[in-house]
Amino acid sequence: MKKSALCFGILSLCFTLLSFALRPLPEEDKSIKNFKLKSTENKMVSLSDYKNAKGFIIVFTCNKCPMAKLYSERLNLMSLKFRTQGVYLLAVNSMDTVAYKEESFKLMQKKVLKEKTTFPYLQDKKQVVAKQFKAINTPQAFVIWKNKSGKWVQKYEGVIDDSALEPKKGNNYLEKAVDELLQNKPVSNPITESVGCRIFYRGVFDKMR
Amino acid sequence: MKSKKIFIISALFLLATNSSFSQTYTSLNIPEAYYGVTGTDGVTNFVLNMDENLKQYRTGQATVTGAVNIGTATTNTFWGPTMIINKDQAIKMHVTNNLNESSTIHWHGMHLPAIMDGGPHQIIAAGALWEPYWTVKNQAATLWYHPHLHTTTQAQVTKGVGGFIIVKDAAEAALALPRTYGIDDIPLAITSRRFLSTTNAMSATLSDNYGDYVMVNGTLSTTTNYAQATLPKQVVRMRILNGEIQRGYNLGFSDNRTFYVIGNDGGLLNAPVAVTRLAVQTGERFEILVNLSNDTVGSQTLYLKAYNSATELNALTPGSNAFGWPGNEGNASTPTGNSGPLNGGLLNNVDFNIMNIQIAAATTASTPITTIPTALISNTYWATTDVTNSRTITVGGGNGGTAFTLDGSLYSTTMTPKTVNLNAIEKWTIVNNNIFGHAFHLHDVFFKIISRSGGNIGTTIRTFEQGWKDSVWIPINGTVTFIAKFDDYSDSTWPYMYHCHALTHEDEGMMGQFTVNGTMATNENSVKTIFSLYPNPTTDKLFINLSDASTEIYYITITTLEGRVAMMLPKPQWQNGIDISSLSSGVYLLKLTDEKTKSVTTKKFIKN
């Protein structure tokens, strides 16, 4: 009896030590915390609302940027394609509404009506979500995926595709990343360089690129 | 049967050899002419909207560009319209900044009040509308407009924000010169760009300030696909602007033909100057005539060319290939070992074609000019005997990659400006005992170069730079002296600038400022200006009721409650009401600056 108790004790100690050893280093754990933002429907939307979600496509976009404007149709189609597979597209506007009157909530609502948007368009007025993702451009896309411990981990960041002016002609990096994740494959291009208008963070001096 | 075989074989042979020589071209973009809209008050209004846009320059990502007036009628993807105005015309600009950051628009070469100049002090916040106005005093010349915000001028100009201004006058109109815009009179904004491989963005960093690919009026011009101007078989006028960040051009034609310089930065010369090579530095404009009367209709063999190789530059001025003559920094295969750009450009230290010229039939709609005139206009230039004051400006810095300076200081908008007296005729000597050559530019007025010394130019004032100038090249160890009269406008508050027009140098601080002071005494009393606004709320016009009828309004700024600048109105003509119809509904603050005391008083109003 004593022997088995000792074994058990040693085993549990081993397991504890092992779990500490296998615990991922903080830098590798690029997980995204749940956030809650207001949508153009005047509803609060958070990641936790989507109970069965496998992953999310978060696209930082805005009303004014010419590059961002080109992607409305492509994002509509992408949202429809993936939501039946448990992956939801959320658009986030983190532009400074004080500096840029075109980024007002009213004009966000107008845009959704005009473009028959098939996904929530959320306002990140305090730029908190943009800072969490470290978003720099509009448009810029991120894919977060639920890992085994139930955390949302970043799997892709960068462009939607590399042919803004010519849809279907270039590489659809974002769509490919989500397809690969749905097939339990690793993402072949997890990081691509985004292009578009800068997101200027209030109180942070930064030169135009 | 045998002859048929020979025929087929020779046909195939001809086809094969011909197809290996096919060169493609893209039609040169000519910016649209913009004459403005003249109101019943006789003021001609120009609307300039600065925006970001996109252009498919290379395969892959579209390039994010900057442009002026991308609206529905004209969809500029790079650069902006050519404003065409007359001397003595009263004009008013309505400039809206839709870029995602602050900017300014400087009217390069315009003689106007400092408060309208659009230099680093007239910052247009994102989304704001700026409405400067003035009466054109300039003589006929080719000027240009571009951003001038301190530390980000290079970035914004690289994006493509800018455009030409053509001033016309009676003296120029009386001459037998080509002037059918877009046909025998074309503007050429020549520059180059480096594209980042991942995003196709046009790079605007220190190591990328010499582009790899030529761009003319926003049209990319490469060895596989040249920009092509179709020009008629007659005398053609070209208004050339070096819109580079740093590179100079040693211009000529591919067949070394003689061409004629007829204009400098500030206007026409007294007579055409025959040249086969023309050295053009950043910011400079030259008007030239080239005679295409003897060329063959349909031919595509002629190119406008930059003879920038060391051999050519040496032929121009011995010792030109010394480091510091832009164009001699290392090329792509041999990055320079000096402290120059880290990545030499594809166009550095080589001769390269700028654009192809295709010859078309002579014009019939307008009478073609077929000869070069022998005389132009009568300029009266300043001489040493006119000088009332002299000053010297010394170039410094640059060693070990440090920033270049003027008079030992780096620019700051709050630095104490030099003071020039109104109507002073000043002699300025710029001393460049420095490791680099610089393109010195002066705001407000034009100058006459009266002497040069040192460096690889020595004492020769080149034949093509003897007219009115606002920019002058000073080689390494060179000195330049010029004379200018600072007339018409005085303002002890807001300064004009002088600076090197190599935009990297300018952004890093190679700039100074000066005010032109008149005899007006300023009242030191800073009592608030008493006024009221009516009607309030208002829909389209806001009127100002001043308690003291002698109050003069220097500036009105309209901001939102959160502090976003919506409108900037320098010296507004407020008597007929301020047009605020473009504002969206809401509560605004009107900040009024008194002309005499410069005190600011704020009042709230509501726009319905």
Side-chain angles (χ1 to χ4, degrees):
Chain A
M1 299 305 107
K2 259 189 187 169
K3 216 181 186 179
S4 55
L6 186 64
C7 274
F8 181 79
I10 290 168
L11 270 170
S12 35
L13 183 67
C14 284
F15 270 116
T16 318
L17 288 171
L18 202 64
S19 68
F20 272 109
L22 289 174
R23 184 188 163 85
L25 295 165
E27 298 96 279
E28 292 173 15
D29 203 350
K30 284 184 81 180
S31 67
I32 298 293
K33 290 187 286 210
N34 188 30
F35 55 81
K36 195 192 270 189
L37 295 175
K38 186 165 78 167
S39 78
T40 50
E41 326 259 274
N42 272 306
K43 293 201 185 104
M44 297 310 286
V45 172
S46 23
L47 298 178
S48 52
D49 294 341
Y50 298 83
K51 303 288 181 212
N52 70 332
K54 293 201 181 97
F56 287 94
I57 301 168
I58 311 288
V59 180
F60 288 91
T61 183
C62 66
N63 298 338
K64 185 167 83 88
C65 178
M67 187 73 100
K69 280 185 191 175
L70 293 171
Y71 283 95
S72 320
E73 184 58 32
R74 276 172 267 193
L75 292 178
N76 274 351
L77 293 171
M78 206 178 291
S79 153
L80 293 172
K81 171 183 171 181
F82 287 121
R83 69 184 185 197
T84 54
Q85 302 178 64
V87 181
Y88 300 94
L89 196 153
L90 304 174
V92 179
N93 185 337
S94 307
M95 301 297 266
D96 185 345
T97 55
V98 172
Y100 311 116
K101 66 176 183 201
E102 268 205 59
E103 302 301 339
S104 70
F105 189 72
K106 249 196 189 147
L107 289 173
M108 282 175 64
Q109 291 174 313
K110 238 185 171 174
K111 177 180 157 88
V112 161
L113 278 173
K114 184 174 162 215
E115 293 169 1
K116 301 190 177 68
T117 308
T118 62
F119 46 86
Y121 188 19
L122 313 173
Q123 187 179 49
D124 179 24
K125 215 168 180 184
K126 298 208 172 107
Q127 304 183 310
V128 169
V129 178
K131 283 187 183 143
Q132 210 203 149
F133 278 91
K134 296 200 176 79
I136 52 173
N137 283 327
T138 60
Q140 188 176 14
F142 292 83
V143 177
I144 55 176
W145 212 253
K146 196 179 239 173
N147 71 359
K148 293 198 168 81
S149 39
K151 285 201 171 133
W152 297 109
V153 179
Q154 183 180 307
K155 291 291 185 186
Y156 175 81
E157 74 168 79
V159 291
I160 297 163
D161 58 42
D162 62 1
S163 55
L165 282 175
E166 297 161 317
K168 294 178 195 156
K169 262 200 178 172
N171 294 302
N172 301 327
Y173 292 111
L174 174 63
E175 193 173 356
K176 188 153 177 242
V178 180
D179 282 332
E180 283 169 334
L181 288 164
L182 284 169
Q183 293 159 35
N184 288 314
K185 288 194 206 146
V187 176
S188 27
N189 298 96
I191 299 178
T192 59
E193 205 170 330
S194 64
V195 187
C197 309
R198 299 288 302 284
I199 297 175
F200 282 85
Y201 290 99
R202 286 196 85 183
V204 177
F205 171 72
D206 207 352
K207 265 204 220 184
M208 189 178 198
R209 251 200 257 121
Chain B
M1 303 304 109
K2 216 179 187 180
S3 55
K4 227 183 188 174
K5 266 191 186 167
I6 292 167
F7 175 77
I8 292 164
I9 289 164
S10 16
L12 285 168
F13 177 76
L14 277 170
L15 200 66
T17 49
N18 274 330
S19 61
S20 65
F21 289 99
S22 61
Q23 169 76 62
T24 58
Y25 307 98
T26 300
S27 200
L28 175 72
N29 173 50
I30 303 285
E32 76 274 18
Y34 186 15
Y35 295 91
V37 175
T38 307
T40 49
D41 56 1
V43 176
T44 307
N45 295 283
F46 292 89
V47 173
L48 298 176
N49 296 321
M50 300 153 66
D51 260 295
E52 277 181 309
N53 210 338
L54 294 165
K55 188 159 183 166
Q56 195 72 45
Y57 272 123
R58 296 161 66 73
T59 53
Q61 275 290 14
T63 301
V64 178
T65 58
V68 181
N69 292 359
I70 66 167
T72 46
T74 54
T75 52
N76 289 319
T77 50
F78 187 95
W79 207 239
T82 300
M83 290 191 281
I84 301 181
I85 57 186
N86 294 316
K87 181 171 185 294
D88 299 324
Q89 199 169 333
I91 63 177
K92 185 169 186 176
M93 306 298 189
H94 307 264
V95 183
T96 302
N97 175 17
N98 291 319
L99 298 175
N100 269 354
E101 68 161 19
S102 299
S103 187
T104 81
I105 288 287
H106 168 55
W107 320 102
H108 185 129
M110 268 294 175
H111 182 45
L112 38 51
I115 201 177
M116 313 290 181
D117 194 34
H121 290 271
Q122 284 84 46
I123 300 174
I124 314 170
L129 167 66
W130 179 51
E131 297 187 319
Y133 67 94
W134 65 93
T135 298
V136 180
K137 287 194 192 283
N138 285 63
Q139 66 189 75
T142 302
L143 314 178
W144 62 302
Y145 58 93
H146 61 82
H148 204 308
L149 182 61
H150 187 44
T151 76
T152 69
T153 303
Q154 178 182 354
Q156 295 183 350
V157 170
T158 297
K159 274 227 145 127
V161 182
F164 283 100
I165 302 173
I166 295 176
V167 180
K168 294 187 173 273
D169 67 13
E172 188 271 343
L175 302 169
L177 288 174
R179 59 177 68 81
T180 311
Y181 184 81
I183 307 294
D184 64 2
D185 179 353
I186 61 169
L188 298 173
I190 311 174
T191 186
S192 64
R193 291 291 181 270
R194 166 165 293 170
F195 296 91
L196 297 177
S197 55
T198 46
T199 58
N200 280 337
M202 294 177 290
S203 183
T205 63
L206 174 65
S207 59
D208 295 335
N209 55 7
Y210 293 87
D212 292 318
Y213 302 100
V214 178
M215 227 187 256
V216 187
N217 297 342
T219 305
L220 205 56
S221 189
T222 65
T223 52
T224 52
N225 194 304
Y226 284 113
Q228 183 180 68
T230 301
L231 301 173
K233 188 180 152 73
Q234 62 204 55
V235 173
V236 169
R237 181 180 193 167
M238 294 179 182
R239 299 168 190 263
I240 294 169
L241 162 70
N242 177 334
E244 289 272 0
I245 304 304
Q246 190 144 315
R247 174 184 285 116
Y249 300 124
N250 183 20
L251 288 184
F253 287 91
S254 51
D255 59 1
N256 290 310
R257 65 177 64 193
T258 301
F259 56 102
Y260 303 84
V261 180
I262 59 165
N264 279 175
D265 306 316
L268 295 175
L269 305 178
N270 290 344
V273 170
V275 295
T276 53
R277 294 287 185 269
L278 176 63
V280 189
Q281 290 297 338
T282 68
E284 283 186 311
R285 287 88 58 216
F286 286 93
E287 287 185 33
I288 68 167
L289 295 180
V290 58
N291 197 342
L292 305 175
S293 306
N294 299 319
D295 290 81
T296 314
V297 175
S299 78
Q300 300 177 120
T301 52
L302 186 63
Y303 288 86
L304 177 65
K305 193 163 174 169
Y307 287 93
N308 277 21
S309 63
T311 328
E312 280 286 343
L313 290 175
N314 253 313
L316 173 74
T317 33
S320 282
N321 63 342
F323 175 75
W325 165 270
N328 192 54
E329 282 73 13
N331 59 28
S333 55
T334 55
T336 179
N338 295 313
S339 54
L342 300 173
N343 313 299
L346 293 179
L347 301 174
N348 286 357
N349 205 21
V350 291
D351 298 334
F352 58 91
N353 288 325
I354 289 174
M355 72 177 192
N356 179 262
I357 295 168
Q358 180 183 61
I359 308 294
T363 56
T364 47
S366 54
T367 315
I369 304 294
T370 53
T371 56
I372 307 293
T374 48
L376 295 168
I377 59 173
S378 251
N379 290 300
T380 310
Y381 297 113
W382 310 122
T384 318
T385 45
D386 302 316
V387 173
T388 60
N389 188 43
S390 298
R391 55 183 89 223
T392 304
I393 293 174
T394 312
V395 177
N399 292 301
T402 57
F404 294 100
T405 59
L406 290 173
D407 290 333
S409 306
L410 288 175
Y411 181 73
S412 112
T413 51
T414 54
M415 71 193 303
T416 307
K418 288 184 155 64
T419 52
V420 174
N421 291 326
L422 179 64
N423 293 322
I425 300 176
E426 294 210 345
K427 184 176 81 169
W428 289 28
T429 300
I430 322 296
V431 180
N432 190 35
N433 290 334
N434 192 257
I435 59 165
F436 215 89
H438 298 280
F440 186 89
H441 169 55
L442 178 67
H443 286 211
D444 181 32
V445 293
F446 295 111
F447 53 77
K448 170 78 166 124
I449 300 168
I450 59 158
S451 75
R452 278 186 175 282
S453 65
N456 56 27
I457 293 179
T459 56
T460 311
I461 300 173
R462 284 91 53 94
T463 55
F464 52 76
E465 61 177 4
Q466 298 185 8
W468 289 117
K469 305 269 300 126
D470 61 40
S471 305
V472 59
W473 172 246
I474 318 175
I476 298 171
N477 295 328
T479 294
V480 166
T481 302
F482 59 71
I483 302 177
K485 181 177 186 185
F486 296 84
D487 52 5
D488 299 314
Y489 306 109
S490 65
D491 187 333
S492 56
T493 311
W494 291 119
Y496 298 99
M497 306 294 128
Y498 55 87
H499 58 90
C500 173
H501 216 287
L503 298 183
T504 320
H505 301 177
E506 179 189 322
D507 277 341
E508 289 190 324
M510 190 174 175
M511 180 154 61
Q513 55 189 20
F514 65 98
T515 54
V516 176
N517 293 10
T519 51
M520 248 197 312
T522 49
N523 186 349
E524 289 307 312
N525 189 351
S526 62
V527 166
K528 292 267 182 229
T529 310
I530 300 173
F531 68 96
S532 60
L533 300 172
Y534 68 95
N536 192 357
T538 181
T539 331
D540 41 39
K541 271 214 171 145
L542 189 63
F543 290 83
I544 300 172
N545 185 13
L546 291 162
S547 163
D548 179 355
S550 70
T551 307
E552 288 165 58
I553 301 178
Y554 184 70
Y555 220 109
I556 284 178
T557 308
I558 295 174
T559 72
T560 62
L561 284 182
E562 302 105 327
R564 174 176 67 80
V565 177
M567 292 178 73
M568 298 160 60
L569 312 170
K571 296 211 176 198
Q573 287 150 325
W574 51 274
Q575 290 85 346
N576 294 324
I578 311 269
D579 181 356
I580 46 88
S581 55
S582 65
L583 298 174
S584 37
S585 311
V587 185
Y588 292 89
L589 300 174
L590 184 143
K591 302 183 177 188
L592 186 152
T593 306
D594 188 297
E595 168 78 56
K596 297 196 211 85
T597 67
K598 300 299 186 298
S599 64
V600 181
T601 311
T602 307
K603 285 260 186 283
K604 208 184 278 189
F605 72 93
I606 297 170
K607 200 266 178 181
N608 277 334

